[in-house]
Amino acid sequence: MNSRRKALKSLITLPLAGGIVSSNELLANENQIVIDSLKKDYFKELGIRTFINAAGTYTSMTGSLMPKEVIDAISYGSLEYVNLDELQDKVGERIAQLLNCEYATVSSGCFGAMSIAMAGVMSGKDPKKIKQLPDVTGLKHEVILQESHSIGYSQALTNVGAKLVKVKTSDELEKAINEKTAMLWFLNANTDNGEIKWEEFVSLGKKHNIPTFIDCAADVPPVDNLFKFTRIGFDMVAFSGGKGLRGPQSAGLLLGKKEYIEAARLHTPPRGETIGRGMKVNKEEVLGMLAALELYLARDHKAEWEMWEKQINLISNSVKSIDGVQTIIHVPPHANHVPSLKIRWDENTVKISPNKVREKLRNGTPSIETVGNKNEIGITTWMMVPGQEKIVAKKIQKILKTYKA
Ligand SMILES: *Cc1c(COP(=O)(O)O)cnc(C)c1O
């Protein structure tokens, strides 16, 4: 036992009789000792590659890194028992206050938010209907969306029994509405691809008295998106917890009308005979999500943006210095709205393909993950630990230089 551990150990045993230190503090101390003294390197022990994330927020790459304040909230939450519903009630109210919306809940990611929201819209608060899903006999179960908004994630809706009805125009949308229509679903990332925009979509929902839902999973920054869509009038708005918000990767936010969120909650644990029972979010993630949101709202967004721009410029300038290499700096309009870089080159001048360079980056030390295709490498810096952009800049430059004709 090292001396620090010994010292802490005696600290733990000493004040107990006097009741000076609560059991929680003791447990916290003990946890700290374990972490400090063991320094167990799980990834190394398991032979798991860790890497610099120059790609973005990808589930396959385990999302984002949580700030210390979020980890602290998770550790704090792990030390006491609470009633799960009471916690979700209070945190939901707190989040609604922070985001100026009627109500909120912490879900199991944005996908989970979509599933429980859809389930809630179909069942309402009727216990029999809640239990019958995904059997939709006798329930409104059609969800209308624009064809250009149809991506893989709409599986979150069909998983709970809903049927997708795809339309192109507002005319088609109105014609598609019938007595089975349960919800109108909008994918914010694809706003520009669809004919129907936010306000019109919302007004169509209001006109026909059908709830509207918007998937904003990867759509902070900007911070205003957390307020904007409930303000416009969407009945339900969902965000991923572990993308731009940098909360727990397995958590998310469902914001909006209380009646729909309450119905959605009836599908979640602790209630067992529901389609959402497997989408459990426990106290640690609920608190972690709240902490991440509070931290995000308090952040200096302008300074952060300037840092990302600087980082992207650094990488861009470093590779652009090589003859034949071009870079494009761009900001996607809705989802993953951060300074991003595309690196392209003439393969007659630099004799290696983008995919091969990406492979070399992945297999290097440290390993670096990027995105891309056969024409280009794609980079973002928002998921990096500040400073790593220098390593990325150097590594890419070095590889490209090696293959310069
Ligand atoms: C990431 C994503 C989801 C899923 O979000 P999770 O938080 O991983 O469940 C849903 N929709 C879109 C558009 C996304 O980008």
Side-chain angles (χ1 to χ4, degrees), residues 59 108-112 114 151 153 187 189 215 217-218 239-241 243 249 251:
T59 295
S108 60
C110 182
F111 196 97
M114 279 196 265
I151 54 164
Y153 289 118
L187 176 66
D215 171 352
F239 290 90
S240 290
K243 290 180 179 169
Q249 165 67 8

Side-chain angles (χ1 to χ4, degrees), residues 9-35:
K9 187 107 189 164
S10 58
L11 196 77
I12 285 172
T13 44
L14 268 177
L16 197 59
I20 301 162
V21 178
S22 76
S23 60
N24 277 346
E25 284 170 59
L26 286 179
L27 189 50
N29 279 337
E30 207 151 25
N31 283 345
Q32 196 52 47
I33 291 168
V34 171
I35 292 162

Side-chain angles (χ1 to χ4, degrees), residues 280-297:
K280 192 193 281 185
V281 189
N282 202 24
K283 59 189 186 314
E284 294 82 5
E285 291 157 305
V286 173
L287 287 185
M289 190 69 251
L290 175 63
L293 179 65
E294 288 178 338
L295 199 64
Y296 185 76
L297 292 173

Side-chain angles (χ1 to χ4, degrees), residues 87-269:
L87 176 73
Q88 279 279 28
D89 286 348
K90 296 270 162 65
V91 169
E93 282 163 21
R94 174 100 183 95
I95 292 173
Q97 262 175 8
L98 288 169
L99 299 181
N100 282 332
C101 56
E102 194 176 304
Y103 203 46
T105 196
V106 177
S107 63
S108 60
C110 182
F111 196 97
M114 279 196 265
S115 287
I116 61 169
M118 187 75 241
V121 161
M122 293 192 291
S123 66
K125 294 180 185 173
D126 180 335
K128 257 179 71 189
K129 291 178 178 168
I130 288 168
K131 195 176 167 181
Q132 84 171 57
L133 290 178
D135 172 7
V136 293
T137 311
L139 305 182
K140 292 183 180 200
H141 65 276
E142 290 185 3
V143 47
I144 305 177
L145 66 155
Q146 299 183 72
E147 204 170 279
S148 56
H149 288 211
S150 177
I151 54 164
Y153 289 118
S154 43
Q155 180 88 26
L157 311 170
T158 53
N159 275 356
V160 296
K163 183 177 155 236
L164 305 180
V165 177
K166 295 173 193 173
V167 299
K168 282 191 182 138
T169 63
S170 51
D171 231 31
E172 278 179 36
L173 189 149
E174 289 203 82
K175 283 201 186 106
I177 291 174
N178 64 57
E179 71 287 348
K180 284 180 282 183
T181 308
M183 195 169 89
L184 308 181
W185 187 81
F186 195 100
L187 176 66
N188 192 48
N190 286 12
T191 295
D192 297 346
N193 306 349
E195 263 194 39
I196 317 170
K197 307 299 184 206
W198 304 312
E199 288 82 358
E200 189 184 10
F201 197 82
V202 165
S203 71
L204 287 168
K206 292 204 191 310
K207 180 175 166 192
H208 294 276
N209 203 21
I210 300 166
T212 48
F213 185 109
I214 185 165
D215 171 352
C216 293
D219 307 351
V220 282
V223 61
D224 183 53
N225 277 359
L226 290 166
F227 304 86
K228 178 177 178 175
F229 298 104
T230 50
R231 194 169 62 219
I232 289 177
F234 279 95
D235 296 300
M236 289 161 278
V237 183
F239 290 90
S240 290
K243 290 180 179 169
L245 289 171
R246 293 180 57 195
Q249 165 67 8
S250 42
L253 291 177
L254 176 60
L255 316 174
K257 287 276 151 58
K258 192 163 191 172
E259 67 171 300
Y260 298 123
I261 294 177
E262 280 179 347
R265 281 269 308 278
L266 292 177
H267 288 272
T268 66

